[in-house]
């Protein structure tokens, strides 16, 4: 058996290392957030499996649990990859010189 990852044996904040996955299909699809440190579970409900539902659920998760401080793991489902790409595009836009010159 291999060694446990550092985040499982070193002291850190709850939900500092977090995993996300859909638990479905059921009528209401919950996002389950797993704290990789203390194995706590946070369940966030969504109405569908669309890319647009993930940022909303993530926003609610952060509002309740504070920003995760280290890493967010996922199973790289299409909706998570698309959401990551959309958020990366927004981050790139808001940090561009053109945007900062226009809105700063």
């Amino acid at each position: 058996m291999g060694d446990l990852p550092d985040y499982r044996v070193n002291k850190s904040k709850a939900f500092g290392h977090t995993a996300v996955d859909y638990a479905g299909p059921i009528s209401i699809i919950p996002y389950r957030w797993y704290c990789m440190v203390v194995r706590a579970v946070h369940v966030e409900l969504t109405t569908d499996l669309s890319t647009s539902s993930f940022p909303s659920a993530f926003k609610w998760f952060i509002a309740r649990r504070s920003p995760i401080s280290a890493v967010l793991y996922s199973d790289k489902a299409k909706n998570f990859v698309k959401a990551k790409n959309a958020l990366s595009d927004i981050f790139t836009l808001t940090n561009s010189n053109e945007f900062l010159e226009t809105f700063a």
Side-chain angles (χ1 to χ4, degrees):
M1 181 183 284
D3 293 337
L4 290 172
D6 288 340
Y7 61 81
R8 293 293 303 273
V9 294
N10 294 326
K11 185 178 178 180
S12 69
K13 180 179 160 188
F15 290 98
H17 291 264
T18 306
V20 61
D21 194 8
Y22 272 119
I26 56 176
S27 296
I28 299 176
I29 308 297
Y31 272 106
R32 293 183 297 184
W33 305 89
Y34 300 96
C35 175
M36 303 293 279
V37 177
V38 297
R39 304 203 43 136
V41 177
H42 174 101
V43 176
E44 195 65 53
L45 299 178
T46 63
T47 56
D48 58 27
L49 297 172
S50 68
T51 299
S52 61
S53 69
F54 173 73
S56 298
F58 187 59
K59 198 183 307 184
W60 279 104
F61 169 73
I62 288 178
R64 290 186 180 123
R65 301 288 176 192
S66 76
I68 56 175
S69 59
V71 181
L72 175 64
Y73 302 93
S74 77
D75 61 358
K76 295 189 180 181
K78 288 181 185 179
N79 54 340
F80 297 133
V81 173
K82 288 180 182 177
K84 179 215 172 268
N85 292 338
L87 291 171
S88 293
D89 291 345
I90 291 168
F91 180 78
T92 301
L93 172 67
T94 57
N95 287 310
S96 69
N97 289 334
E98 183 180 340
F99 181 86
L100 294 173
E101 289 171 4
T102 305
F103 296 102

